[in-house]
Amino acid sequence: MTARQDTLWKQLLEPIFGVFLDGEEIKRLQNSIDWEGECDRLGTPDFVYPEYYRSQNFHGVEGGYLTKSAATTYDPITKYVLPPNETWIRKEAIAAIGGQPRRILDMGCGTGSMALMLKQTFPDAEVTGLDLSPYMLAIADYKAQKAGLNLKWKHGKAEETHFPEQSFDLIAVALLFHETPATIAQAILQECFRLLTEGGQIVIVDGNQNTLRKTEWLNNIFEEPYIQDYAANSIEVALRSSGFEAIQTQEVWWIHQVTHGMKPMLMRKNVVDLQLDRQEGNLQPAF
């Protein structure tokens, strides 16, 4: 991992993680992937990266997620920064999902950990992972092939996916919103609403906003450029303003939260609107 010399990440955390990370295994993974070929295969030609993404260093890493170093070190580091266990936290989010979704989108899928778990949980579903980094998608595809799982990957912006309306029954958003500006997070939720079928579900797992508001030192030490804005806002409010309903948030191990919401059924929405109109005296009784 390359980082600026003056960062808290460089001074405090990188030396600690260096003790636990298997440098030789990371090097072998880096050398086993044809990065240019995979980025060409999984990426979008002449793609213009948004300023909020390409101009930032995430976790003090120069170049953010647009580097093979970030892609190959993400998983080894993440398992230590999601106590008590990364898999357990992701399973808590999956446990909030109802029914058997058939078409699933992992929004901002990164290295594909959530997408793979969703495919394993719902083996008959078509699972697609979308991310801004072709380097991360290269790792995600490598992991899927190694696990013998058939998933689809798409390179692009979460706020502008170009998928048709109502393409998915379930959208999962894992560890994304603390890494996006508030305006982009709202745009992503609006895109999620557009992409979901009526009655479709959204499940979000991320940092606990209540905890982050009380622990500013955590916000500083992990060197996330947008985490202060994330902590100051509310996922539930953003979901409601995007049109979602039946929103519930569960605190997980104090520093995480899982939020679940649904896109309302059109018929139900029409009935509710009719009832409100009658209550407000805008409609005369039908008898």
Side-chain angles (χ1 to χ4, degrees), residues 94-108:
I94 292 175
I97 299 166
Q100 294 288 321
R102 296 174 297 107
R103 296 170 297 169
I104 300 174
L105 175 64
D106 183 6
M107 188 76 92

Side-chain angles (χ1 to χ4, degrees), residues 15-177:
I16 295 173
F17 285 124
V19 174
F20 297 99
L21 301 186
D22 186 340
E24 289 303 315
E25 178 61 30
I26 291 171
K27 187 180 295 184
R28 282 194 293 271
L29 178 58
Q30 285 190 4
N31 292 337
S32 69
I33 294 175
D34 174 9
W35 292 98
E36 183 176 355
E38 287 300 279
C39 287
D40 286 345
R41 180 175 69 89
L42 296 166
T44 304
D46 303 318
F47 186 80
V48 179
Y49 290 93
E51 182 69 14
Y52 71 81
Y53 188 77
R54 67 176 180 83
S55 65
Q56 298 294 340
N57 298 323
F58 295 92
H59 305 303
V61 179
E62 293 283 0
Y65 294 125
L66 294 173
T67 65
K68 63 182 181 182
S69 175
T72 52
T73 56
Y74 183 86
D75 284 347
I77 288 176
T78 301
K79 70 179 181 181
Y80 291 114
V81 297
L82 289 181
N85 179 277
E86 177 192 358
T87 300
W88 187 76
I89 297 301
R90 295 186 188 276
K91 283 184 177 179
E92 287 292 307
I94 292 175
I97 299 166
Q100 294 288 321
R102 296 174 297 107
R103 296 170 297 169
I104 300 174
L105 175 64
D106 183 6
M107 188 76 92
C109 66
T111 59
S113 297
M114 193 71 172
L116 268 66
M117 289 180 66
L118 287 164
K119 183 64 177 177
Q120 290 164 337
T121 306
F122 306 106
D124 294 330
E126 179 182 275
V127 179
T128 302
L130 177 140
D131 202 83
L132 263 172
S133 171
Y135 294 91
M136 299 297 245
L137 291 177
I139 294 294
D141 191 53
Y142 173 87
K143 289 162 61 176
Q145 291 185 39
K146 190 173 181 181
L149 297 174
N150 182 24
L151 291 90
K152 295 183 177 181
W153 309 109
K154 181 176 174 63
H155 178 227
K157 297 187 289 185
E159 66 271 29
E160 190 179 1
T161 65
H162 300 291
F163 288 121
E165 289 186 13
Q166 302 193 44
S167 293
F168 302 98
D169 309 305
L170 168 70
I171 295 179
V173 189
L175 309 177
L176 173 64
F177 287 135

